[in-house]
Each structure stands twice: as structure tokens, then as C-alpha cells.
Amino acid sequence: DIQMTQSPSTLSASVGDRVTITCRASQSIAIYLNWYQQKPGKAPNLLIYAASSLQSGVPSRFSGSGSGTDFTLTISSLQPEDFATYYCQQSFTTRALTFGGGTKVTSK
Amino acid sequence: QVQLVESGGGVVQPGTSLRLSCAASGFTFSTYGMHWVRQAPGKGPEWVALIWNDGTNKYYTDSVKGRLTISRDNSKNTLYLQMNTLRAEDTAVYYCARDAGPGAQIWFDLWGQGTLVIVSS
């Protein structure tokens, strides 16, 4: 299976900060990479699909980039509602989808 | 209202069975591939199974092959997960999720609220 490694695992930031989360695949996955936000007790929520496409209804402060093995999720100006855990997910191997280990964004 | 609602979770003993259901509403269920994704306590999501929109193809993560079976009834707008020979490591919140990706690309644009399965003696 393709392994997805996120860094950092925990990130402390303040409202207004620019935040960058990295996801690395164990092999090239082209742009078959999606990002989700999850808050405690809730299901994940799709933010970015196909590496850089913003899901409808998601604020424009969220953006994604990358291709091949290295991807980033950027929050341009962190808002109070953005404190959450973020996961990447690859779909290059459609019969063995995998998620990253998560990045928890906490308040500094 | 576009939504997915899971049911059927509970506390069961190892080696027993359970069937989860996911009721879809507000969209044309029969046109979407559907998935089960689970999340163990304190862990990240883990993809479990996929079924094509017409039910003709099904895929599973290795750890559940031969024990868990995904199915759907498009006439009832319902997705199922039959869970047999349950193990402690199957303990998780189970989510159903809609596959919005075109062709080979897969992303989950709609999730249910989840149903908790606890396997314990």
C-alpha cells in the first residue's frame, strides 16, 4: 500500500497566522491527493480534491498544491474555526485508499 | 436534504456479527460509488470498502477481506456493511461516505455522522 506521511503531527499557531501542512507519498501519486478537516466528534469534511481544487463551500483561505510525492495544504490566515485535525488521502490506488496520520492544529 | 445516516452499531463480543446500514437521501443514490471508512479511537481514518454505483464491483482493505461484506440496495437508497467474525481491532466509528470523484479519482464529499462499533468481551 502507498504510505502517506504528514508533517508536523502537531502545529501550534495563532489566529491570523499562515499555516502549512505537508503530506508525502511513498511513491508518485500524480495529483490523486485530497485534504480533509476533522473536528472532535464529527466526520471528516472535504476541503481540497485533486491536489489543488477547492471543494464548493470551503473558504478561499484554504489552498492545496503539489504533485508526484509532495503536497501541501495552506491556510492563508488561520481563523478560530480552523483549529482542527487535517488529513490527506490518496486515491492513486483505488482499491487501497490510504490516509495520512493527521496534523492537529492547536492554539498557541 | 442531502445526507447519509448510519445505524446498527453497538457493543458485541469477539467472533460475533453485526450489520451496519447507511440510509441516503436528497441525491440520486444509484449514481454514486459508496464507501465505508472507519476510525479507531484516537486514530486517523482507515478506508474499509468500496462498492460501485451499480453494485457490480466491490473492493476491501486487506484486514477485512473475507469477514466484512459491503452491499447496497438502490431501490431502498441504502448501503450496508455485514461484519462477521468481529475482532477487537475492528472497534471504531464506522462512516459511510459518498464517492464524488470521476473515474479513477476518489474523494469523499459527503459523510454520515458515524456509528460506533465496540468489540469487547
Side-chain angles (χ1 to χ4, degrees):
Chain A
D1 290 0
I2 297 175
Q3 306 303 314
M4 306 302 294
T5 303
Q6 286 184 237
S7 60
S9 55
T10 306
L11 185 160
S12 294
S14 300
V15 172
D17 284 353
R18 182 180 181 87
V19 169
T20 299
I21 298 168
T22 297
C23 180
R24 175 164 289 173
S26 59
Q27 66 181 73
S28 178
I29 58 170
I31 61 166
Y32 289 50
L33 191 283
N34 312 306
W35 290 97
Y36 300 86
Q37 176 193 69
Q38 187 177 32
K39 296 182 178 179
K42 301 294 187 181
N45 180 52
L46 179 67
L47 299 174
I48 301 288
Y49 61 92
S52 62
S53 296
L54 189 68
Q55 171 68 356
S56 176
V58 174
S60 59
R61 63 181 179 272
F62 291 93
S63 64
S65 64
S67 65
T69 60
D70 295 314
F71 301 86
T72 58
L73 173 70
T74 300
I75 309 172
S76 60
S77 178
L78 192 69
Q79 297 303 299
E81 60 268 31
D82 301 336
F83 293 105
T85 301
Y86 294 84
Y87 295 98
C88 60
Q89 172 246 323
Q90 65 82 19
S91 65
F92 186 78
T93 51
T94 58
R95 305 178 188 185
L97 307 173
T98 49
F99 288 83
T103 296
K104 186 174 184 179
V105 177
T106 64
S107 179
K108 185 182 292 182
Chain B
Q1 175 182 3
V2 177
Q3 63 177 3
L4 299 169
V5 179
E6 300 97 337
S7 61
V11 181
V12 296
Q13 294 190 332
T16 61
S17 299
L18 202 61
R19 189 176 84 155
L20 307 184
S21 299
C22 168
S25 59
F27 65 97
T28 306
F29 180 69
S30 62
T31 64
Y32 287 89
M34 295 295 298
H35 301 254
W36 287 99
V37 177
R38 67 184 179 184
Q39 190 167 25
K43 302 295 185 181
E46 178 189 24
W47 172 76
V48 173
L50 154 66
I51 186 168
W52 284 17
N53 66 305
D54 59 3
T56 54
N57 284 286
K58 307 172 185 181
Y59 305 102
Y60 301 90
T61 193
D62 286 345
S63 63
V64 308
K65 285 178 182 175
R67 301 188 302 115
L68 275 56
T69 302
I70 190 171
S71 63
R72 65 191 297 161
D73 185 337
N74 285 344
S75 68
K76 296 182 178 179
N77 292 334
T78 303
L79 177 73
Y80 302 100
L81 186 67
Q82 178 65 44
M83 310 172 72
N84 297 331
T85 320
L86 282 161
R87 305 168 178 168
E89 54 264 36
D90 296 318
T91 294
V93 174
Y94 284 74
Y95 297 100
C96 58
R98 186 175 76 175
D99 180 350
Q105 294 213 44
I106 294 175
W107 55 80
F108 309 120
D109 74 330
L110 180 66
W111 298 66
Q113 85 287 355
T115 187
L116 177 61
V117 174
I118 298 174
V119 184
S120 174
S121 55

